[in-house]
Every structure is written in structure tokens, then in C-alpha cells.
Amino acid sequence: MSWNTFGRVLRMTTFGESHGPAIGAVVDGCPPGIPLSEEDIQPYLDRRRPGQSRFVTQRREPDHVRILSGVFEDEHTGGKRTTGTPIMLMIENVDQRSKDYSEIARKYRPGHADFTYQAKYGLRDYRGGGRASARETAARVAAGAVARRIIPQVSIRGALVQLGEKRIDRRRWRWEAVHDNPFFCPDPEVVAEWEEYLDAIRKDGNSIGAVVEVVASGVPAGWGAPVYAKLDQDIAAALMSIPAVKGVEIGDGFAMAAMTGEQAADEIVMRNGKPHFLANHSGGILGGISSGQDIVARMVVKPTSSILKPRRTITTDGEETDVITRGRHDPCVGIRAVPVAEAMLALVLADHYLLHRAQTGQG
Amino acid sequence: MSWNTFGRVLRMTTFGESHGPAIGAVVDGCPPGIPLSEEDIQPYLDRRRPGQSRFVTQRREPDHVRILSGVFEDEHTGGKRTTGTPIMLMIENVDQRSKDYSEIARKYRPGHADFTYQAKYGLRDYRGGGRASARETAARVAAGAVARRIIPQVSIRGALVQLGEKRIDRRRWRWEAVHDNPFFCPDPEVVAEWEEYLDAIRKDGNSIGAVVEVVASGVPAGWGAPVYAKLDQDIAAALMSIPAVKGVEIGDGFAMAAMTGEQAADEIVMRNGKPHFLANHSGGILGGISSGQDIVARMVVKPTSSILKPRRTITTDGEETDVITRGRHDPCVGIRAVPVAEAMLALVLADHYLLHRAQTGQG
Amino acid sequence: MSWNTFGRVLRMTTFGESHGPAIGAVVDGCPPGIPLSEEDIQPYLDRRRPGQSRFVTQRREPDHVRILSGVFEDEHTGGKRTTGTPIMLMIENVDQRSKDYSEIARKYRPGHADFTYQAKYGLRDYRGGGRASARETAARVAAGAVARRIIPQVSIRGALVQLGEKRIDRRRWRWEAVHDNPFFCPDPEVVAEWEEYLDAIRKDGNSIGAVVEVVASGVPAGWGAPVYAKLDQDIAAALMSIPAVKGVEIGDGFAMAAMTGEQAADEIVMRNGKPHFLANHSGGILGGISSGQDIVARMVVKPTSSILKPRRTITTDGEETDVITRGRHDPCVGIRAVPVAEAMLALVLADHYLLHRAQTGQG
Amino acid sequence: MSWNTFGRVLRMTTFGESHGPAIGAVVDGCPPGIPLSEEDIQPYLDRRRPGQSRFVTQRREPDHVRILSGVFEDEHTGGKRTTGTPIMLMIENVDQRSKDYSEIARKYRPGHADFTYQAKYGLRDYRGGGRASARETAARVAAGAVARRIIPQVSIRGALVQLGEKRIDRRRWRWEAVHDNPFFCPDPEVVAEWEEYLDAIRKDGNSIGAVVEVVASGVPAGWGAPVYAKLDQDIAAALMSIPAVKGVEIGDGFAMAAMTGEQAADEIVMRNGKPHFLANHSGGILGGISSGQDIVARMVVKPTSSILKPRRTITTDGEETDVITRGRHDPCVGIRAVPVAEAMLALVLADHYLLHRAQTGQG
């Protein structure tokens, strides 16, 4: 793994800045012969795309993906299929609104990477956050769509389970509901309340945090590896690499601090001739390896740092000042993080599918 | 990164099973010329060693480390120093108590990796958990001691901040107190209560979860990297790779879900001519790069799965049965995870120190 | 290192097929602050470009490079500089001559990768060799130009030292001559003979092998590493990864088989107060680490497999047949391999410069 | 890949110096369930062991290997098998003859890594060459024996084909002969001449170079990968990483410089219903992928640098002096490089077997 590459044998390398000509990903290690065209990828990008509701940034990006390499349409068989060579996915930046960046260039926005990038590199592309922009996550979503094709037997879904102080009622969880509201919320009964809540925050020029949950169904027992290639380790790395994520948990996560060993044990019985777990506190992973149960992970996304409230900061010359961040920002960046989290989970699982096949020949 | 190697340019490869002849680590990429002898490493192992109180396993392991390579004592300069070649750290297993493993061989212990290892590999070393044993973490602690020598300007400390339902009062935090109680607890006033609490759990043959916090002071602004080598991503991977860890958070972590952007911004002022942050919600990391503030991370450790309470499970032949796990187990495995978490944080930071030096020449 | 990525901390990932819309490279790990624009890269591409003499393929590709990310023009400082983030270099394919590929699709061309790709992947992009095409090397040359900027103190030059049975006279070596003939030949007195020789081969529809030599001057003692990151190991991997290369040697290389230890020792004396080697049989590398002398490497490039001579082969259906490969081919693909070899050497050296800095802080 | 690790998914990490307590290797990524005990490894070490004839070093090392982890003897099934976890192979150093190293500590031996190690690290373990010693290759041979078990369908054999100016007659090649002479020479008729030749060199206190050839039979078409994970690229890296190796070639190698495309094409016909190549100029690899023919590679090993002839050099203080290297040295280090080359080829092939299985599911 290197600075801008994620994965072990299935590897995604992304490039691009918020206000450069394009962003994209090179996906390497994909098995050959998998049907793949832009139409398989675009729907996932459309879910992450800006401008779809008043609760997300109004930047207008079509996020149209092009596959520049790694697929081939054989005239005899028809239909594009992967060739086993690197798949280049490119997304052109369209709405790089011409703007005066002189203030951002001169002031470090609190909560952003401005100060730390400058400290590290001695310079930074300050236009729209440059490489630190959440725009990079579009490339992840495109690559994640490829990963899904590698493991079609696995279903990967995400949802927003907490918006600020508001949590869903898990007993009302309905996956279908996720598509029917602007929050990817699986509890349809809280949607109206969330809209009102987030509208108030948005109108106040403020922002709010959130918790995203992703679930993978259909992963057989045996994926992952002990010690330093644990499935949960890689999921933690994958989710923590998403901008603004400050915590990750698997299964019951932090709630397990207060549980006893008796409570936390996922007892096993036989059902229909197969091992069956009576609970899934472990989130589908034991000792770093999948158990055959649903893989369950959650991540917390901090509130958007770009707000209209003035905050104290300093200039690049070391003078104290105030800053507010005008522009087109998500009042809750956690919402659009849902398809990104799904993509990262898909990439980890497809990678471990291939790793498991490498070592054991299974799959 | 591969299955049993951790790190990017500073790389630790561990080996060994609970009941094999030895465990250990090969540390590769260490700078040359650093004074290093067994005496620099042993104190850290002693902190993690079993049998030091009634709250940890009674297995009697001296955990004596030997450096088999990578250091050299020049007769002219005197004192062993690293040579820049791989440092092999070996710890012999001594107390592999002769025991009847036929039950463990036949039954999957819930919460353990028995079922998943068998599913993955088709066989497993069932003696004491084999490679899945927490014994592997002794090798991490030894390697972590080497990492600390690479970045002596950084102080890395850990503490237990939650034991089951019991939390410390953070206002009473005293780092010195950590060394004075069997819990690595920084709040001396809760220790008596914790002893009583854990004694009851222990005598009941049960176990309990915990939360560990690790803090690194002295990290300058600029370590880490954007996107897929984020400092927090690597910390998350490092901590999640520790056995029984089910969640990781940085700074205010999951609490940030309920915070507004206004609250979460760590405002910056000038103090004594230097940038100064008025808060550290971000845990010392912004955009994956250190800000110069304390690095703060927490991890949740699930309750020990080995308990004396009978739990339902199945045999390797698919028959339903009960199992209890006799033996010498930690009633709260989170306690001994404290020096392990410190070691993993040290490894990540030393790695990023070298990475930062590679790319920028700083440091 | 993965399938389509080269390098350790400075990493190049290439993508693209001969007849796809574009090829390119993502260069990751480049230090920040280095002046870099398309004009710094284009001259190297121009040297490798097809169609410059009758001795190379007549495919008409402008090979115009665009930098899509990783550089930033600060209005205050002016001039584009690297930001430390991934540098995406894209070269569009222009001359994908519309052609009937049905014969190539059906027959395995001897010497080409047709048979082996089909065996591995079960399908292949047969248009112009797909990913196996030498066109991929344009991306290397672009990335190599970036690598040169990282180590401006090092001069990297290449030359053709053998064309078929014709060798240069090394006593007549003049680096300036390399630019004055279509062979990158450093011995001006053999050029006329080589022209006549290669013309005859070309007109005969045949092709011929060659030997390329690359030399790096200005590398200080200390780059490289022992055992599995040897400088010569990485140079060997780098050159052998170039299409059609079948052998690599360092310094006196295979000639050292017949030398005695007495002859082969590069004796050391002091000259002007500095260590000075009396010979350079070792090619500037001892124990995998640079000695401060010129780094000297050679590679053999096999004759172009695409020839107009009929060769026996089989079809994808397992029927015996003959094949000739019409089209625009290099009669000696070794010629255009010269700038590619330089680029690969530049990438290895820049990588090791950063690695050395990581471990030792030097440089 | 890192400094002391070799391989992609099957990874060997070695440690240890010539005069430290032990050397060894950690083999990671081995498939589970493979029968493996010390007896499977020891015979390969015995072939490389010093002191077996007057033509190799007289250092007396039993090179007894111990497996410290990664195998398990299940009482039910019997016999040790790999578990899929890291296999630690340890070889203790026994004959670290007590000796005065003050001269070596003070003088750089020409041809050795003394000067370059000192330049890189600022210090070095000068006893017997430290990490740069050929003793490290014992760990490779042990790891290579594990690799062979992963691909039992492949036969890997090596031979010395050139000793100084003396070459074998390839028409007399008999693999069985390799075991019957102290040179691993496949041409029994040259052995007497070689003995006389090398005896003269040895008695003169001199040394001589050699060429080693390794051949793998039974590799199916399809192993390897295009571009930066070419099978020949990895073989080149593997062989070039062996101490004293200065060149590597595949198939006809450097001889292909003087061949035409017509000559070099390995024509394909059908024989017994299967593709059959009429020649193997390519050494079993086309486009980086195995063709199903024998894999053929050669490497040149320079003459041993430790000789009794005085050579000019400098001291660490920069004074001119002479040096001769007394001690127990191989007059032709190429001889004992034969089993090392075999081991490295085995490691590359087993790695690519697993990589191929990862991406394609074949195998």
C-alpha cells in the first residue's frame, strides 16, 4: 500500500484534485472476463452525486465516468468484458466555478486540512481543498462498482443511522426505505423529523455529524486473515480513509466495552444442517476472518468544517483572524458518505476474496 | 503490507503460535546508529507480561526478549547500535503447560477464531488459540520498543479509561497513576471500585470489555499523508489488528456525530508566536496529517471469550454441544492491551516519521 | 508492488492499451515543490516517439502528454510545482488506424504474448497487442521525466551499443553523438554501416536484436540497500519489465564469469582527498549499494516479433497455419528502447534516493 | 516488497548476520495443509552447506534448520502440516570462529560491500561481512524448499554451465551428473578439467567467476503477469538479489541481440492435440507470462572478492594501503550459488502460482 493506493491484490490508485481537469482511479488486479461497462458504474456515482437535494452541496457535477482501459469488446462474443489489465476510470471536473480563492489561500480554515497540508508540503492547492476535497471519493465509488462485479454473490448496502443527535429506531429498519429519502435513512418514520432538523442547521449556516452503517450479506466463512490482514483491520482502514471519518466500529463495537463474555459470545447451533449463530455481536468477523454472518460496520462522520459561522484562525503569515467558508457545502457530509462507505467495503471484500483464493484455492 | 507484516517503510513481521517453541518479530527498515539493547525492550514486555496481578492470566511467561540480529557492538565506540539491517526479536515460550486439548480440538469456542480459522484453512493449531492467541502481541510490544527509539522526541502513553460499565473521571486524569494500579488506570480514585467490580466478574467465571486510550505527545505538524496513507487510517488499522478490538476512534470520535461544525472546529490562535489550537476535537489529525497537537486514539476491547460460563456451540462434526473454557485467562483482556496499543501507535508514528522524511526531507 | 505499479516509495502505475483511447501513468510519492510542467516531460516523449526515421514504426502518434493532477500554479509564486499528491500523466492515442484484426484475433503470432495472454486470461485485446504493446512504454518515459526532476544532480543517459552483430568501438564513445543519428549510437563512425545493415533487414521484412546501455553519473555512495532492495536488483527488474528485454547486466556483467578475483577487484586509492576507484568492473554497485562511481547497466532487446516472414503457428482453435505480421513495425525495437531504459533507470534511482533519505535522513 | 522481504503474496523475510547467533527466514502466505517438516528442507541446505569439498569455504556450519512456527501436528491426522500462518525457519550459526577483525574493521576490501555499507549506514558489522555475507543465502535455500512444496508439479533444477573460461558442452548435458561432482556440473566430461583448473586458481590464492543456469519444468502456460509483475522481471530481481550476481538472462538472453526476428520466433505447431513450440529461444516466457515450455534462466556470479592477492585500498580514515583477505573462502562462489538460484526460482514460481490463482481462480 502506498500513499494513494488502496488494497492488497485488488488495488485502487486514485488521482485528482477538486479543481483540476479530472479525477479518477486505476483499478488493478481485477479478474478477467467480467462484463463491465460504464452503465454498471454510473448508477453508483449518481447516488453520490452533488446537487440532488437541498441537504447536499449544490455544486453541479454530472460525474460522468469513462472507462479508458482494461475492458475489451470482442466482436465475436459481444459486450465489454474486463481483460485483467488496469481499469482506468476517469471523471472530468465540470463545475470548477471561477472564484476568488485569495482568502482561502491566506487563511487556514479550522477543521480542514489547510494547516496540516501546508505544514507537510510547504505549499497546497487551496482551490476547493485540492486533493483533500471529498471530490476524490467519486473515484472510490466508481472503483467500488467494479469491486461489486467481482463478488456478485455479496450484497453491500449502507444507511445513515444517526444524524446529529437523532438516531433511527432499528426495529423499523427497512432497506427499501433507504432509496426513498434524501438521507439514505432506513427508518422511514424519522425522515420528516430529520428534514426539519437539518433544515434548521443548514439555514443557520451550521453543519452536523452523522453515523453511517454498512452491511455486507453473502460473505462466506473464511475471508480475511489473522494478525495484519484482518478483515476488520482492512475495513477500519478503508472507512477511516474517507474524509471526515473519525471512528469505526465492527458489530456491537464500542458497546462491547460494557458487555460480559457471557453476553458477547455469539452462540452456535445447527439449523438446517448448517452452523447457525444465535447473535451477531461480532459483526460477522472473528479473529479477523469472516464467520458467514452479515459483516456489519459503522463509521462516524464529523460535521462539515465549511460553515458560515465565523471561527477564529490564523493566516499563513501567522496573524490572528476570523474565517467563514462561503460556497456550496453539505450541511451533513455524512449523507453522501453512505455510497462511499459501501464502495470501500466492496473494495475490501473483493480484495479479500482474491487473497483467500490465492492462499487456499477456495472461491 | 502482507498477511503477517505491518508497516510501510518501517515494517514488522511477526511469527509464532501460543504453544510453539517461540514467538517473535523481525523489524525491518530501522535507521542505523540507534543505541539498542535488550534492556531497552524488556521493560515494555514486563508491563504486558502475564501473571502480574489476579486480574490477568496466570500463565507464567518470563517473556525474555533476545535480539538475534540487526545490532552491532563496535569495540571502538562501545554499546550496541542498530546497523540498518533487520532486527530479529525472539521470545521463547516457556509455560506451554501440558494439557488435554481434545475438547478444544473438537469444539468451536464462541467468540474465538476457532470456527473461522477452520473454515478458512481446513485445519488449525488449537493449542491455546495457536496464531490467534494474544501471545502474538508480545512480539508487537518488543517491536514497539524499537519504534520508540526511532522517535525519542515523541512520548507515547496509554491508559484504561473504561472497565465494563465503569468510566474514569477525566478531570482526575494523572499519567503517573497509571503505573500504580493493576489496570493502567489514570484516575486513582476509581481503582478500589474497579478492583471490587472485576473481582466479582472474575469469581463468577465471567469477563468484561474495556476501552483503552493512547496519546502521543511531541508529534510535529506534517506527519501522515492524504487519502490512503492517512495517519488516522494507519492508527485505525494498527489498533484494529489487535486481538479482540472491535472499534477505534480518533479525538472525539463517535461523539462528533452529535456535534455541530461550529462546536467541532478546533479554532487556531497565536500563542508565544506559534499557532495554538483552542481545542483538540480532531485528536491531533486533520486530513490524515498531524497538526502538532496530541494524537489521541481509543479502542474498545471486547470481553475475553474464554469464560467458565457454559455456552452453546457445535463440534467440528456439526453436533450441538456446550463448552466452557477452563484455563488461565484474563477476566478483562483490555488491561494487558494497553501496552500493546502503545506499541502499535509507536510503530505507526515511527513509520510515518520515516515516510515523511522520504517525501519531504524534513525530520 | 503490484501488477501494474513499479517502485517502492516513488511509485508509477500505468494503464492503457495500444488501441484504447489513452495510455498514461500515475506517479505517486513525488516530493512537493518541484517545478514541473508538460514542457519538462515532452522532450523525452519526443525522443521515443514513433515515425522519426525509417528505422522505427511509422505509426503517427504525437504522444502529447497532459498533466491532469499533482501540480499547482500558485499565483503568488508563479510556475507550476508538484504538490506531493499523485501526478497523473495522460497521453491520448490518436493513430488507432482502422484495420481488420480478424487474422490476429484468430492466430497466435510467434514471439508475441498472444498465446500466453490467452492462456492466462481466457481473452485478450488483440488490437495492436493491447496491453502488451510497446506503446505502454510512452507512459514510462513520461514518468521517468518526473523522476529526473527529483534527482537533478544525477545525469542519466542511454545508448545503443550493439545492433545485431554490429558492436560499437567503445574507444570512440561520444555521448553527444547519440543525438545525431537515428540509432542513439555513441560511436559516430559505425552509423553509416548500421544504416545499411538495418535497411537490408527492414527491406527483407525481417528484424534484429540489440543491446542498450544506460549510465547514471552523479549518484553518491550509499543509495540502494542490502539483500532484497539492492539497487542492481531493482535496476534488473526495471529493465527486464520493458517489452522484449531478455537479459540485464551490471558493470562488466557476463564477462565477469571469466575474470579472476584479482582482475575484478575495483581497487581504491585516494585522489584529491577523496576515495577513487581505479576501475569500475562493478558498474557502480557493491553489495546492492552505490559506490559513487557511474552506474552502468545493459539490456538485450530481442528482435521485433512482428515480421513479414511467414512463421508457423496455430489458430485459437488449435489448427496449424502460417502467419506474417503486416503493419507498421520497428525493424529493431531496441532503438526506441533507449529512452525507455533511461526512464526506468531514473525511476529506480529517484525511488532509492527517497528510500535512502527515509532510512538515514541523508540527502 | 521491502528491504529484507522478497515476494508478492508468498513472502520471505530474512534476517541475520554472518557472525550473529542465527540467521533465518519467515515465510508468509504459504497455503495451509501442506505436509512440511525439517526433513523436507534439510536436504536442500545440505547441498549449499560449506565444507563439502576443497572448492568451497571450509567454514564448518551444520546449517541445521528448525521450524519454529507455522506447522502443526494434528494427533488425529498425524504428520506436520502447514497451517497458513508464518513459517519461521531458523538456522543457528555455529562456527563463528573467534578471530581478529581489526584489519577488516579498518580497511575496505575491494569488491566487497565494506565501503558502500559504511557510506550508507555510517557503521557496519564487519565480522564476516555481516548482513552482506553469503551466509544469508542459507535462509533463502530453506525458504525455497517450502516454495517447492507449494508447487510439487514443478521441477526446479540448477547447474554450473561455465567456470571461468571453461564452458560445458551442452550436447552432453545430463541432469543426473549434477549430483556426482563438486561443481553441480551437468557435463561429466569436463569435471576433471574443471578440478585441475580451479585447483590452480585456489592454490594461487585467487578466485574465478561462473555462470549458473536454472530450469523449471512443469510450469503451465499462464503464470506471470504483464508489465510490472512479469515472470521474467521477478526472476531477474530474484537472481540479481543473490550476492555477487552481476547479470541475468532468460532463454537465449544476450545472444538474441544478434538474432533476426525470423530466427528468434518460437514457431508453434500442434502435437498430440496440444500446442507445441519448435524452439525455446524465449526461455518459456512471452510477454511476462509462462508459455508452458521450460523456464530457463542464467546468472553470472563474479569471482569471490576475498582473495589472498594483495589489492590496493584505503582505510576508514582515508589512508592508502594494501589488503589481502585471509580466511576460509570459496575459490568460486558460483558453485554454492546453484542451490541458491534454484531456491529463488522456486520462490518466484510459487508466488506467481498463488498470484495467478488470485486473479483467475485457475490452478
Side-chain angles (χ1 to χ4, degrees), chain C residues 117 120 136 224 226 270 320, chain D residues 117 120 136 224 226 228 270 320:
Chain C
Y117 267 58
K120 182 174 194 73
E136 185 268 345
M270 294 301 290
E320 298 195 344
Chain D
Y117 267 57
K120 181 175 195 73
E136 185 267 347
Y228 303 117
M270 294 300 290
E320 297 195 346

Side-chain angles (χ1 to χ4, degrees), chain C residues 116-117 120-121 136 207 222 224 226 228 230 241 246 248 250 261-262 267 270 282 286 311-312 320 356, chain D residues 116-117 120-121 136 207 222 224 226 228 230 241 246 248 250 261-262 267 270 282 286 311-312 320 356:
Chain C
T116 55
Y117 267 58
K120 182 174 194 73
Y121 297 120
E136 185 268 345
S207 64
Y228 303 118
K230 284 189 160 82
S241 76
K246 301 300 284 186
V248 177
I250 305 293
E262 193 176 8
E267 293 180 296
M270 294 301 290
S282 71
L286 286 167
R311 298 277 78 196
R312 298 177 66 182
E320 298 195 344
H356 183 58
Chain D
T116 55
Y117 267 57
K120 181 175 195 73
Y121 298 121
E136 185 267 347
S207 64
Y228 303 117
K230 284 189 159 81
S241 76
K246 301 299 285 185
V248 177
I250 305 293
E262 191 176 10
E267 293 180 296
M270 294 300 290
S282 73
L286 286 167
R311 298 277 80 194
R312 298 176 66 182
E320 297 195 346
H356 182 58

Side-chain angles (χ1 to χ4, degrees), chain D residues 78-90:
Chain D
K80 286 184 183 171
R81 287 184 296 161
T82 59
T83 58
T85 61
I87 300 168
M88 165 64 173
L89 305 166
M90 195 162 87

Side-chain angles (χ1 to χ4, degrees), chain A residues 8 225-230 233-234, chain B residues 1-7 12-15 131 136-137 139-140 237-238 241-242 344 347:
Chain A
R8 294 171 186 271
V227 190
Y228 303 117
K230 285 190 159 81
Q233 171 191 347
D234 281 5
Chain B
M1 258 182 257
S2 71
W3 285 298
N4 291 280
T5 299
F6 185 85
M12 159 181 68
T13 300
T14 71
F15 66 88
R131 180 72 179 153
E136 185 267 347
T137 61
R140 302 177 187 227
S241 76
I242 300 172
M344 293 308 292
L347 285 158

